[in-house]
Amino acid sequence: MSLITHLSGFISISETLEAEINSIAKPTSFSKDQVIINVDGRCDTMFFINKGLIRGYYIADGKEITNWFAKEQEFATCFYAFIARKPSFEVIEALEDCEVLSLSYSSLQALYRHFPETERIGRIITENYYIKLEERILSLQFKTAKERYQNLISSKPYLLQRASLGQIASYLGITQETLSRIRAEK
């Protein structure tokens, strides 16, 4: 599925709008393990993933804590830094060789100005991001480690083959040993 097809799920895309999106969406590739954005770096770009897996993580007490994963047909960026125009607090890394479309902040703002209907897309993407964020917070606060793992299996089964157990454990807010114990209980 292309970016245009994906966005067509939100609004009707005219030929003029399609041409504009295609002119500002720059094909970009990242190699496996490549750091895309570093802590305190400028986050001026949002990525639409055509192929590959990207994660966002922060570092606390020398440990990487995975904050999110994004796969094909999803957007990836440090949303806080991108929207607030502040330095990133997280690292964004390609977990696989990735092919993405890069959308700069300034191009996206120009798109909103010249095609007001695209603001609906921005609102819907932001709402979906907020829902995922709220669900993640609630899960970390109120679900057991086993419940979080079971939810991951049902909602993101692809992660078991595409991310390391350490990355998955940190995403679930548990140690790798606890994750191994939960997996052995099955």
Side-chain angles (χ1 to χ4, degrees):
M1 179 190 314
S2 71
L3 175 59
I4 298 300
T5 305
H6 182 77
L7 298 178
S8 293
F10 302 116
I11 65 168
S12 177
I13 307 281
S14 68
E15 287 181 17
T16 307
L17 177 54
E18 181 175 348
E20 184 64 22
I21 291 169
N22 287 333
S23 76
I24 67 167
K26 305 295 182 207
T28 308
S29 297
F30 300 113
S31 301
K32 180 180 179 175
D33 299 325
Q34 181 177 346
V35 171
I36 301 167
I37 305 285
N38 218 329
V39 173
D40 292 329
R42 296 286 312 159
C43 188
D44 293 327
T45 309
M46 180 180 294
F47 307 100
F48 180 77
I49 305 170
N50 285 320
K51 177 182 169 269
L53 183 67
I54 295 175
R55 78 170 173 139
Y57 68 91
Y58 58 93
I59 300 170
D61 299 325
K63 294 182 183 177
E64 295 179 2
I65 309 297
T66 300
N67 201 26
W68 53 266
F69 294 97
K71 63 174 180 39
E72 295 84 0
Q73 308 312 304
E74 294 180 344
F75 289 94
T77 191
C78 176
F79 278 94
Y80 171 79
F82 183 78
I83 294 167
R85 314 303 308 136
K86 295 191 175 187
S88 178
F89 62 85
E90 63 188 354
V91 176
I92 299 177
E93 171 190 39
L95 293 182
E96 300 171 345
D97 289 341
C98 293
E99 294 174 10
V100 304
L101 292 174
S102 300
L103 301 159
S104 73
Y105 179 86
S106 59
S107 293
L108 191 57
Q109 296 307 309
L111 193 67
Y112 290 159
R113 281 191 305 277
H114 296 115
F115 297 89
E117 66 271 27
T118 60
E119 288 187 321
R120 176 178 162 81
I121 297 170
R123 178 181 55 81
I124 292 169
I125 291 168
T126 303
E127 287 172 352
N128 288 334
Y129 175 78
Y130 177 80
I131 289 167
K132 288 178 185 177
L133 180 63
E134 189 80 11
E135 287 172 347
R136 179 156 163 66
I137 291 168
L138 292 171
S139 176
L140 288 170
Q141 288 183 324
F142 299 111
K143 303 248 185 230
T144 66
K146 187 173 185 176
E147 290 170 329
R148 292 194 300 272
Y149 178 69
Q150 289 169 337
N151 183 56
L152 180 102
I153 289 173
S154 64
S155 66
K156 299 177 186 327
Y158 61 89
L159 285 179
L160 298 175
Q161 286 77 44
R162 298 173 73 181
S164 74
L165 289 181
Q167 292 163 349
I168 292 170
S170 72
Y171 177 73
L172 295 172
I174 58 178
T175 65
Q176 196 166 336
E177 293 76 19
T178 299
L179 178 58
S180 294
R181 200 167 31 257
I182 291 169
R183 289 168 50 101
E185 290 174 7
K186 291 191 87 178

